[in-house]
Structure formats: structure tokens, C-alpha cells
């Protein structure tokens, strides 16, 4: 049987007019190369996503260091950038493999069944992960499920399906990568058959350019020197006192409580407790730190913070016995009105109860009268509008 149009018609359950017009760029050569880069992006996204989830919901065995202060900025930035660059790569890969959905036999032997099932799960879970991830970056949630836990669970499904698919297709992937991209030989799809469309090299070039543009257009929210070219970055770095704001005091309904002259910060250490007025906090020894604030949506920005070291504040009440410290916001509701700080961050010299930002009194939207700012932590855990601080162990 020759690799002409009849071969393609025999292999594909498509009308002849469609089968003869399939572009020769839809090939194993393109699929293997784009799929390899996509696999790297997905692996980076998966690994850094696990880190982010474990920081927010730490298992007993997980320990996240307080230093270097930029580590979470790098891991979460890599998570979002790799996820965004995966979008055009996934679209190109789906375009290249589409005719194979109609290849005979539709089901075949058990190995083929496993492959087809893994492909269905892989495609569905990947589309779900990338689509919901993009919505989270834009802070748009057109669903009722809790994004964080669902995204985390589906990450295992997507990565597991990718591993199964790779295990099944590894021999053909290796063979395709060893051959030149323009090689007409392809036993699986009959790439040598007459077809129409652009060349494989053009498809690969377009995929690479699209992935690079997608990354550059958004990575400036993590990489400061790329901000001018990151025209699609949801967070540009602007906002009160030079920092973006995800949740304002108005959103949290804390403006009146934060401005109340009777405001007191309650601090409990062991069996001892004390309340601090804002002037009393200002009278304590002040420290400063240059720390980035990094949000799970991928944006980050560096700032100069000043206020009371957490360890000094605790010492003003009683001897710190070790253990985690719980922070409670003036906010009455919300999933993140409380956060727990692990011991390595509690004792860090640059963990502050911040009173000032970039040389000015904290803006109300940044947590006035005081907020937690700790190194190497997600912004969602840097509790604003503090009402209470309590050593939990």
C-alpha cells in the first residue's frame, strides 16, 4: 500500500473530500515536538502548583523556609507563566492530532483503549486546568466550586493522564524526534499523503512564537523589567503607595473598624495577653525590611515596609514558647480572614507587624492600621487589618 491519498482514506474515518485536504503539517513530527515542550511546561506548572498549595494548606511533613525572601516569587511566577505559555502549545498539539481521532480502528486492542481513554482524560483535565487558572488570574469565578482545592485535585488527574499517555506513546515519540521534521515517513498517520496547508516548520515556529508572546505579554507582573512589554498582565504594579491591591477595605467592610480611635491590637502569648493602641505600636522599637508581596495570581512587587518585628511584639507580652502564630483580621468573614505563621517565619528578623509602606503610613487598602508582612509567603496569607495575634502552641 502506498503513502498516497488511498492510504489516508483507508486509515481515517472521514469523507474523502476531508481526508484528501488534511494538511501534512498535522503530523507525528509536529505533535511530538510540541508535545515535548508542552510536557515540560505542564511539569513545571504542576510542581510549582503543589508548592503553592502546600504553603497555603501545609501537610504535617511540609516545611517552607522564610528565606530567601524571593523564593515564592520565583515559584509562583513560574507556575503562572508556564501555565500561560502552555495554552498556545496545547491548542497547536490538539490541532495536530485532531485527524487521529478518526483513525481506524476506533478502539482496537486494550493498549489502544488505554491510550484513547488517557487522551480523553488528559485533554479534558488540561483544558479545565488552564481555563480555570486563567479565570483565577483575572479574579473571575463563574462557578460555585472552591477553586483552590478543585484546581489542586485536578492537577493530579491532568499530570497522571499525561504520564500514562507518555508511557503509551513514548516509542513513537522517540522515533519522531529522531527523524527530521520534514521527513515524509510516518506509519501512524500517513504523513506523506497529498495534503494542503502550511509546512511543519512554519507550524512549529508559530507555536514557539505564540508561546513566547503569551509569556512575555503576562510575565511582567512577576519580572519587573518586563512590565513595559507585558501588555496583558492583569497586575501592572500600580496601586496605592505603588503596590497593587486585590481586596480593598471596602470589599472587606473594615473601614470603620480600622479607623476607630478605640482600635486595639490584641496579642496573646501563653497565658498572658495585652492590647496595643496604634500609638503604642509606634512607640515600640521599629524595624524595616525590603520584601516582595506575591499573590497566587502570579503578580509580585517589591516594597519597603517598616513596623514592629513580630518577635519583639511577642516579647513585649511574654516569652515566646515556640510554635505557630495565628493572625486574625478585623474582617468579619472570608476564607482568609485568618492565617497561621509557622515558626521559621515567626522568628525571622524581617517578619513585621507593618505600620508603614514605602515611607508612608499604611494606606487603608493595604491594611491600616497594621498588617502582617513576612518573607517568602503568599500575599493571601499576609493578613491585613489585624485585630489579634496569638501564639497557638
Amino acid at each position: 500500500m502506498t503513502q498516497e491519498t488511498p492510504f489516508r482514506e483507508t486509515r481515517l474515518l472521514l469523507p474523502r473530500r476531508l481526508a484528501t485536504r488534511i494538511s501534512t503539517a498535522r503530523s507525528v513530527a509536529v505533535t511530538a515536538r510540541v508535545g515535548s515542550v508542552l510536557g515540560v511546561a505542564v511539569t513545571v506548572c504542576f510542581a510549582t502548583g503543589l508548592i503553592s498549595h502546600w504553603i497555603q494548606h501545609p501537610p504535617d511533613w511540609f516545611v517552607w523556609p522564610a528565606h530567601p525572601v524571593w523564593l515564592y516569587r520565583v515559584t509562583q511566577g513560574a507556575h503562572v507563566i508556564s501555565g500561560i505559555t502552555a495554552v498556545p502549545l496545547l491548542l497547536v498539539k490538539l490541532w495536530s492530532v485532531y485527524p487521529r481521532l478518526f483513525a481506524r480502528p476506533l478502539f482496537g486492542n486494550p493498549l489502544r483503549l488505554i491510550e484513547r481513554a488517557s487522551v480523553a482524560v488528559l485533554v479534558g483535565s488540561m483544558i479545565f486546568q488552564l481555563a480555570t487558572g486563567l479565570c483565577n488570574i483575572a479574579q473571575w469565578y463563574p462557578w460555585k466550586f472552591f477553586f483552590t482545592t478543585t484546581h489542586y485535585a485536578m492537577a493530579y488527574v491532568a499530570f497522571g493522564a499525561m504520564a500514562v499517555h507518555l508511557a503509551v506513546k513514548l516509542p513513537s515519540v522517540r522515533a519522531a524526534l529522531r527523524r527530521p521534521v520534514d521527513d515524509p515517513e510516518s506509519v501512524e498517520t500517513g504523513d506523506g499523503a497529498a495534503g494542503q496547508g502550511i509546512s511543519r516548520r512554519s507550524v512549529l515556529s508559530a507555536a514557539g512564537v505564540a508561546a513566547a508572546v503569551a509569556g512575555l505579554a503576562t510575565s511582567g507582573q512577576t519580572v519587573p523589567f518586563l512590565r513595559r512589554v507585558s501588555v496583558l498582565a492583569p497586575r501592572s504594579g500600580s496601586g496605592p503607595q505603588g503596590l497593587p491591591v486585590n481586596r480593598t477595605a471596602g470589599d472587606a467592610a473594615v473601614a470603620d473598624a480600622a479607623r476607630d480611635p478605640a482600635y486595639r491590637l490584641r496579642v496573646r502569648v501563653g497565658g498572658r495577653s495585652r492590647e496595643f493602641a496604634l500609638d503604642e505600636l509606634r512607640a515600640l522599637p521599629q524595624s524595616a525590611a525590603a520584601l516582595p508581596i506575591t499573590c497566587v495570581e502570579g503578580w509580585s512587587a517589591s516594597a519597603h515596609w517598616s513596623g514592629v518585628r513580630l518577635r519583639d511584639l511577642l516579647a513585649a507580652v511574654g516569652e515566646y514558647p515556640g510554635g505557630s502564630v495565628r493572625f486574625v483580621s478585623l474582617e468579619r468573614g472570608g476564607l482568609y480572614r485568618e492565617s497561621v505563621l509557622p515558626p521559621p517565619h515567626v522568628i525571622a528578623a524581617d517578619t513585621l507587624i507593618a505600620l508603614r509602606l514605602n515611607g508612608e503610613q499604611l494606606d487603608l487598602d493595604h491594611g491600616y492600621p497594621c498588617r502582617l508582612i513576612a518573607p517568602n509567603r503568599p500575599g493571601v496569607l499576609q493578613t491585613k487589618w489585624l485585630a489579634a495575634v496569638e501564639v497557638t502552641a
Side-chain angles (χ1 to χ4, degrees):
M1 184 177 294
T2 61
Q3 288 186 329
E4 299 298 334
T5 302
F7 178 88
R8 185 178 291 270
E9 293 178 34
T10 301
R11 298 284 291 174
L12 301 178
L13 294 172
L14 287 173
R16 178 176 178 176
R17 292 186 63 183
L18 290 178
T20 57
R21 294 176 65 84
I22 292 175
S23 170
T24 55
R26 296 180 188 257
S27 62
V28 176
V30 169
T31 302
R33 286 164 173 80
V34 174
S36 298
V37 180
L38 177 61
V40 172
V42 170
T43 301
V44 171
C45 195
F46 176 71
T48 52
L50 293 184
I51 291 173
S52 183
H53 187 86
W54 291 337
I55 294 171
Q56 296 180 64
H57 309 278
D60 292 338
W61 53 266
F62 181 75
V63 177
W64 184 246
H67 300 95
V69 300
W70 45 260
L71 184 57
Y72 182 72
R73 185 179 199 171
V74 170
T75 62
Q76 192 62 12
H79 176 70
V80 173
I81 293 170
S82 60
I84 289 173
T85 56
V87 173
L89 295 174
L90 177 63
L91 293 176
V92 173
K93 188 174 189 297
L94 292 177
W95 175 86
S96 70
V97 302
Y98 176 73
R100 268 173 265 169
L101 298 177
F102 303 96
R104 292 182 179 182
L106 284 179
F107 300 106
N109 59 40
L111 186 61
R112 184 170 176 80
L113 281 173
I114 293 173
E115 177 200 351
R116 291 225 154 190
S118 70
V119 168
V121 175
L122 175 60
V123 172
S125 58
M126 285 287 293
I127 291 175
F128 176 87
Q129 287 295 90
L130 294 178
T132 55
L134 290 174
C135 288
N136 181 62
I137 293 172
Q139 294 188 309
W140 179 54
Y141 305 100
W143 53 72
K144 294 184 179 180
F145 56 80
F146 182 40
F147 167 80
T148 303
T149 53
T150 305
H151 198 68
Y152 175 69
M154 287 299 294
Y156 284 100
V157 175
F159 193 76
M162 185 182 76
V164 171
H165 180 67
L166 178 60
V168 173
K169 300 297 293 183
L170 189 57
S172 61
V173 170
R174 284 178 173 174
L177 293 178
R178 283 196 294 264
R179 294 197 301 268
V181 68
D182 292 325
D183 183 12
E185 298 295 327
S186 178
V187 175
E188 184 176 1
T189 59
D191 293 338
Q196 299 179 359
I198 62 176
S199 70
R200 296 173 191 172
R201 292 187 184 276
S202 296
V203 171
L204 292 174
S205 297
V209 170
V213 169
L216 287 174
T218 54
S219 59
Q221 61 179 1
T222 298
V223 186
F225 68 84
L226 293 177
R227 279 183 180 156
R228 290 190 177 182
V229 298
S230 295
V231 294
L232 298 181
R235 302 291 184 275
S236 64
S238 61
Q241 297 175 305
L243 286 184
V245 174
N246 273 9
R247 187 166 176 79
T248 67
D251 294 334
V254 298
D256 291 342
R259 293 193 183 105
D260 189 345
Y263 167 82
R264 298 291 186 274
L265 175 65
R266 301 185 304 277
V267 182
R268 184 175 182 84
V269 181
R272 304 185 63 181
S273 63
R274 179 178 169 183
E275 293 187 349
F276 292 85
L278 184 55
D279 286 342
E280 291 176 306
L281 292 174
R282 290 168 176 162
L284 292 173
Q286 302 291 293
S287 298
L291 297 173
I293 188 162
T294 305
C295 278
V296 295
E297 293 88 357
W299 68 262
S300 59
S302 297
H304 289 83
W305 308 84
S306 60
V308 184
R309 282 178 177 161
L310 175 60
R311 65 190 191 189
D312 293 342
L313 179 65
L314 299 179
V317 178
E319 183 178 356
Y320 170 57
S324 300
V325 175
R326 184 170 69 104
F327 296 82
V328 182
S329 173
L330 291 170
E331 191 174 0
R332 296 295 184 181
L335 294 170
Y336 297 102
R337 69 176 297 265
E338 296 185 8
S339 69
V340 176
L341 195 66
H345 295 75
V346 173
I347 63 176
D350 45 3
T351 295
L352 305 177
I353 303 301
L355 305 175
R356 299 178 67 81
L357 169 59
N358 289 333
E360 302 175 351
Q361 175 182 281
L362 270 180
D363 186 89
L364 184 61
D365 286 338
H366 282 306
Y368 174 87
C370 63
R371 67 169 296 163
L372 168 67
I373 186 70
N376 204 27
R377 295 270 286 174
V380 73
L381 301 181
Q382 309 277 34
T383 308
K384 298 193 288 188
W385 313 294
L386 285 176
V389 177
E390 177 183 1
V391 177
T392 61

